[in-house]
Amino acid sequence: DQQVKQNSPSLSVQEGRISILNCDYTNSMFDYFLWYKKYPAEGPTFLISISSIKDKNEDGRFTVFLNKSAKHLSLHIVPSQPGDSAVYFCAASPKTSYDKVIFGPGTSLSVIP
Amino acid sequence: GAGVSQSPSNKVTEKGKDVELRCDPISGHTALYWYRQRLGQGLEFLIYFQGNSAPDKSGLPSDRFSAERTGESVSTLTIQRTQQEDSAVYLCASSPGTYNNEQFFGPGTRLTVL
């Protein structure tokens, strides 16, 4: 049973527009959420995170929104750039075991010039 | 560099052979993880080491898989009697082991079992 779900395997967005990547989770004990970006032939790299005490965290063009009641988070990229084309993984960890991180299956984003 | 390194970058082996994959974590990182990514799939957790604690082996898919870590440094993932379904990219990550648990990933080892 997948505890972290990313129901869209892929997403295409025009350059300059907003990209919205969604993530749902089932475990109410999840306390800390992270997004990673992965280019082909490279390991994932950390992008942005959010603690459950917040509902929004922003870093430049990247903003993560958390809706705890809906067990849903989303990553917004605005404006999208061709270099943002990558696979994005949503990840979560519980308060009781912060280093046990569960990854979602990933969403492949293509930003079209 | 100061990042996580993995070797070899690519490994082709014949079915039934044993393979050993190596991970050098970032110095000072107490936590070390192994993941597997099959073609078109997400990251599948395999095993986790934290300091001197017993490793969390809950993700290992069978007893053909094992891993060791020497103190807080190098880790090796061993796959015995490889099968074609073991073909995947094996990723290693390390983290400081604190609450801000960002993981730093290596480039991975692409394993192909013929």
Side-chain angles (χ1 to χ4, degrees):
Chain A
D1 182 35
Q2 255 183 8
Q3 297 187 63
V4 179
K5 304 177 184 183
Q6 294 177 258
N7 293 322
S8 297
S10 62
L11 176 68
S12 281
V13 171
Q14 207 71 33
E15 180 179 4
R17 299 290 187 106
I18 184 171
S19 295
I20 300 176
L21 295 95
N22 293 304
C23 176
D24 297 285
Y25 60 95
T26 58
N27 189 341
S28 58
M29 294 299 292
F30 284 148
D31 177 63
Y32 194 71
F33 304 89
L34 310 95
W35 286 93
Y36 285 81
K37 179 166 80 171
K38 184 182 184 303
Y39 292 118
E42 295 182 13
T45 55
F46 170 75
L47 189 59
I48 193 169
S49 63
I50 188 166
S51 165
S52 62
I53 62 172
K54 294 186 174 182
D55 54 18
K56 176 183 173 181
N57 189 25
E58 194 171 350
D59 183 0
R61 296 185 296 113
F62 302 89
T63 303
V64 56
F65 294 92
L66 175 63
N67 182 336
K68 283 181 291 185
S69 61
K71 294 193 181 69
H72 176 84
L73 63 155
S74 60
L75 174 68
H76 293 211
I77 307 172
V78 56
S80 301
Q81 299 174 353
D84 296 330
S85 298
V87 176
Y88 289 79
F89 292 99
C90 173
S93 64
K95 188 185 308 183
T96 52
S97 182
Y98 56 80
D99 43 8
K100 186 71 179 284
V101 180
I102 309 296
F103 283 83
T107 295
S108 178
L109 173 67
S110 295
V111 179
I112 304 163
Chain B
V4 177
S5 60
Q6 292 185 244
S7 60
S9 55
N10 279 285
K11 177 73 177 177
V12 181
T13 190
E14 293 179 347
K15 177 181 171 181
K17 301 273 183 160
D18 297 352
V19 296
E20 197 171 273
L21 313 180
R22 177 186 169 109
C23 172
D24 285 87
I26 292 172
S27 178
H29 280 189
T30 60
L32 186 147
Y33 305 77
W34 282 98
Y35 297 90
R36 174 170 75 175
Q37 186 180 23
R38 289 171 161 155
L39 189 63
Q41 305 290 314
L43 295 177
E44 178 186 358
F45 166 77
L46 297 177
I47 189 169
Y48 157 65
F49 297 89
Q50 171 60 282
N52 295 319
S53 303
D56 179 349
K57 304 179 182 181
S58 59
L60 294 178
S62 77
D63 59 9
R64 296 187 295 105
F65 288 72
S66 63
E68 291 185 351
R69 187 181 186 191
T70 308
E72 292 186 353
S73 62
V74 172
S75 176
T76 54
L77 176 69
T78 302
I79 309 173
Q80 295 178 309
R81 305 180 302 282
T82 52
Q83 304 293 311
Q84 287 184 330
E85 63 262 27
D86 299 335
S87 296
V89 175
Y90 288 82
L91 290 158
C92 174
S94 70
S95 82
T98 60
Y99 177 70
N100 181 6
N101 51 347
E102 172 189 347
Q103 295 182 24
F104 296 80
F105 282 82
T109 294
R110 180 174 295 279
L111 174 67
T112 303
V113 182
L114 302 176

